[in-house]
Amino acid sequence: MQGRVLVTGGLGFIGSELSRRLLALGSTSHLTIVDNLSSTILDYSDLEGHAEIVIDDMRNIDETRHFDEIYHLASPVGSVGILQHSGKIAGDIIGLAEKAARLAEAGGSRLLYVSSSEVYGRDGSHDEAVAQMVPCRRGPRMEYALGKLTAEHLLLNRAAARDLDLRIVRPFNAIGEWQSAGLGFVVPRFFEAGLKGEPLTVYGDGQQRRSFCHVSDIAGGIISVQERGLANEVYNVGNRDNITTILQLADRIRSLCGRGSPVQFVDPTELFGPAYIEAFDKIPDVGKAADHTGWTPQLSLEDALDRIHHHYRSRRDVAAVV
Ligand code: UDP
């Protein structure tokens, strides 16, 4: 479908990739991006002139505006980003989701909500059919997980009670060019240290596992769910073939960078204080998205890391320090 499309958080790491793909598809007659630049480190000049870019809090969007589709991504992100919003993360996430719901209800828009794998709140291999069990561990990461889970339920309940056309995606560990090290994400942190020959800080013993998925695959999954996913359903989007321990990841990035950086094992609570909570295994089952939409991720971890490495090598701001 497409037509008039709104992407909230459309200048963020995932949102900008999604916006570019929506424009490339050609069926978006008018793309509006709203973003308050709270997590943007990327160059979005290529989007200027092709999209209406509104630098503002999405809560200020006029609710009489009509969009055929809304992709709602605006949210605090990243382990460090979350810490910075401690105490107001859940309220923000829920308030933003309510705004997205009101816009979609008023305009009759198809709404896609980008939630988070954090809603599983526990370790293991995550399947959408399993009821979430969020352990009661105090801290900002829990507040984030509970905010995202509450937003999902809020939207699903509104969709059941009113005329709201909804789909939900839970992305698992997106990586790619222009991800922010400053927000705490591991891949840019390791590259930025590795390219300077500095130690790669591995938290704990490095045996925690993630299944990383390139942002182009995440964006493709989001669009596939919006186009072909079933209404009021929740879909994991990630790459189950890219499982690695964090220590293995550090070794791969060290050898790509080739500057002889050592691995330094650190206790993250010494860096960020006791509010830092580790999530151990986060591995998605993505069979539902594949069955319902035909989408499957394409990029291997090796290819994704190669792309990110080339991107860093070509960035003038990084070239200045390596
Ligand atoms: N991590 C690490 N060193 C860093 C940053 C992160 O060892 O400098 C680890 C972190 O403990 C976590 C994993 O890398 O287990 C992924 O972290 P990220 O913040 O990218 O994603 P999330 O934990 O939210 O899945």
Side-chain angles (χ1 to χ4, degrees), residues 238-284:
N239 191 332
R240 207 187 158 82
D241 295 331
N242 286 345
I243 298 172
T244 176
T245 68
I246 297 303
L247 186 55
Q248 287 165 342
L249 177 77
D251 282 336
R252 279 178 189 237
I253 295 179
R254 285 166 67 211
S255 64
L256 276 174
C257 294
R259 299 283 306 264
S261 289
V263 162
Q264 188 183 350
F265 292 96
V266 296
D267 174 355
T269 61
E270 281 176 14
L271 295 178
F272 304 112
Y276 185 94
I277 299 176
E278 183 61 273
F280 290 93
D281 285 1
K282 283 175 36 182
I283 314 291

Side-chain angles (χ1 to χ4, degrees), residues 4 72 85 106 125-126 138 163 217 234 264 269 273 292 310:
R4 297 184 72 81
H72 174 43
H85 289 83
S125 183
H126 302 310
R138 285 190 188 167
D163 198 14
D217 281 326
V234 178
Q264 188 183 350
T269 61
H292 291 195
H310 284 120

